[in-house]
Amino acid sequence: MTGGVLAAAGGFTVWNVLDEDSPERRTGADGTRVESGTGGPRSGAASASPRPGPTPGSKLWAFLAPAAVYSPVVADGVVYVGSDDHRLYAVDTSTGKKRWHFGTGGEVSTAPAVADGAVFFGSGDHRLYAVDAASGKKRWTFTTGGAVHSTPVVANGVVFFGSGDHLLYAVDAAGGRKRWTFPAGATVGSPVLADGVLYFGTHDHRLYAVDAASGKKRWTFTADDVVRAPAIADGTVYVGSDDHHLYALDAASGKKRWTFPAGGPVRLPVVADGTVYVGSDDHRLYAVDASTGKQRWTFISGNAVRLPVVADGVVYVGSDDRRLYALNAADGKRRWEFPTGDAVVSSPVVADGVVYTGSQDRSLYAIKT
């Protein structure tokens, strides 16, 4: 089946056009703004019959930052999201209002991690930050030798993350003390932890498996181009590469089980119910059998497809064609699409019947699932 339909179709919700002085549009002194999906009647307006509840794919609210917004995480009624304006934002999930922001010296372009009442995130200023999740107050910072564009992993009191200085770090979560480092041959991406092993891709064309306790290498796998962050399920590591392939590797040994060819660089996969879902710069989202590597279906968008997430039988995925798509996980049939003002490079997150996603149009969106 094909997607990429540019005209509005069934399931779309028309966005309200709000005046600058509308009570539904609020601009803060720092340049952020919240727009609600619907608003009550203006003063003096005739009352209307009650509106129906939001339909799937409709906007609940949008939070507008001064620069591009990236992948969010949700915890305890708060969305945490980074931006190219050098800030991390905490936004209320119900209202879209900002609770606090924390400024850094560089772009915050990867998703944060939330654990033990703290938010951990990297910045282009070479630092990993730990801030209080409730107040946004700094707990500690850790300085590396390169930009930290890696989503951290927090487990057993340790934060694991990569840096542009070619190192994987293990840092104490409570105080930011370094426990160990592992040297790679190039920029280290976001690690994934499974069964005491960290798996991460690098720009030196390798996927590494490293013991989380000691920082010792277990094995490496070499592709023909940059290797992305992997997904792990049932003893198998699934990883995409800019060499146009999705690989399935044995998690214990690193031995290749199968490869799946795409028509462009392959992004970060997700695994659900025996299927690997992965986007590619060839404009496609692929659904691949996790055991055999055989294609189940593809969905074609209007541009590069980014990072999917699966929830309740639905795949949510953004594209550089400026849309967020909701697809049936079983067959790839489109349920709805949501248009934004720029590329959706964010990985969506789903919580309590709402999908949250960032866009290069500077907005964080809350959309009804």
Side-chain angles (χ1 to χ4, degrees):
M1 65 173 293
T2 61
V5 179
L6 299 182
F12 270 57
T13 297
V14 179
W15 294 12
N16 291 337
V17 179
L18 302 176
D19 298 329
E20 292 295 335
D21 61 351
S22 165
E24 290 81 39
R25 171 175 285 174
R26 300 177 293 277
T27 303
D30 60 359
T32 62
R33 189 168 70 205
V34 177
E35 296 178 2
S36 59
T38 58
R42 303 281 183 90
S43 176
S47 58
S49 59
R51 295 180 178 179
T55 57
S58 62
K59 182 178 71 174
L60 302 178
W61 53 256
F63 173 83
L64 185 65
V69 175
Y70 291 94
S71 298
V73 297
V74 176
D76 300 322
V78 181
V79 189
Y80 301 95
V81 68
S83 171
D84 274 347
D85 69 1
H86 300 188
R87 292 167 174 159
L88 179 79
Y89 291 95
V91 178
D92 188 277
T93 57
S94 297
T95 64
K97 293 181 179 180
K98 184 182 71 176
R99 292 193 176 184
W100 53 258
H101 73 260
F102 182 91
T104 75
E107 65 279 4
V108 182
S109 60
T110 49
V114 183
D116 301 324
V119 187
F120 304 90
F121 64 98
S123 170
D125 66 6
H126 299 193
R127 292 178 174 87
L128 180 79
Y129 291 87
V131 303
D132 187 86
S135 67
K137 301 297 184 182
K138 183 174 70 176
R139 292 189 175 182
W140 52 260
T141 62
F142 181 89
T143 303
T144 75
V148 181
H149 296 315
S150 167
T151 294
V153 172
V154 186
N156 301 320
V158 183
V159 187
F160 305 97
F161 67 98
S163 172
D165 64 6
H166 304 186
L167 294 173
L168 177 74
Y169 289 88
V171 175
D172 185 79
R177 179 181 60 86
K178 183 175 69 177
R179 294 198 174 187
W180 53 255
T181 60
F182 177 86
T187 296
V188 176
S190 301
V192 176
L193 178 65
D195 298 323
V197 180
L198 293 159
Y199 303 90
F200 60 95
T202 68
H203 287 206
D204 68 0
H205 304 184
R206 290 179 173 88
L207 179 77
Y208 292 85
V210 173
D211 186 87
S214 65
K216 302 298 183 182
K217 182 177 70 175
R218 293 201 173 183
W219 54 258
T220 62
F221 173 83
T222 303
D224 291 326
D225 209 326
V226 172
V227 176
R228 305 290 178 175
I232 296 94
D234 299 323
T236 303
V237 182
Y238 303 93
V239 65
S241 171
D242 283 5
D243 68 8
H244 299 195
H245 288 87
L246 173 70
Y247 296 93
L249 312 174
D250 183 87
S253 65
K255 291 183 179 180
K256 184 169 61 178
R257 292 184 171 177
W258 52 256
T259 62
F260 178 85
V266 177
R267 300 289 176 171
L268 283 63
V270 64
V271 186
D273 299 322
T275 303
V276 186
Y277 303 92
V278 68
S280 172
D281 286 6
D282 67 5
H283 302 190
R284 289 173 168 84
L285 177 74
Y286 294 93
V288 180
D289 186 282
S291 298
T292 66
K294 301 298 183 182
Q295 179 179 301
R296 291 185 169 177
W297 54 259
T298 63
F299 175 84
I300 303 175
S301 76
N303 209 320
V305 176
R306 296 292 182 156
L307 317 178
V309 66
V310 183
D312 299 322
V314 181
V315 184
Y316 302 93
V317 66
S319 170
D320 284 7
D321 69 5
R322 305 185 175 196
R323 287 166 168 77
L324 178 74
Y325 294 94
L327 313 173
N328 285 336
D331 58 14
K333 182 179 179 181
R334 180 172 50 195
R335 293 191 173 195
W336 51 259
E337 62 183 64
F338 181 87
T340 77
D342 209 333
V344 181
V345 303
S346 161
S347 176
V349 62
V350 179
D352 299 323
V354 180
V355 57
Y356 303 90
T357 192
S359 171
Q360 296 291 285
D361 70 4
R362 304 179 292 143
S363 293
L364 171 69
Y365 294 97
I367 305 161
K368 176 65 177 176
T369 58

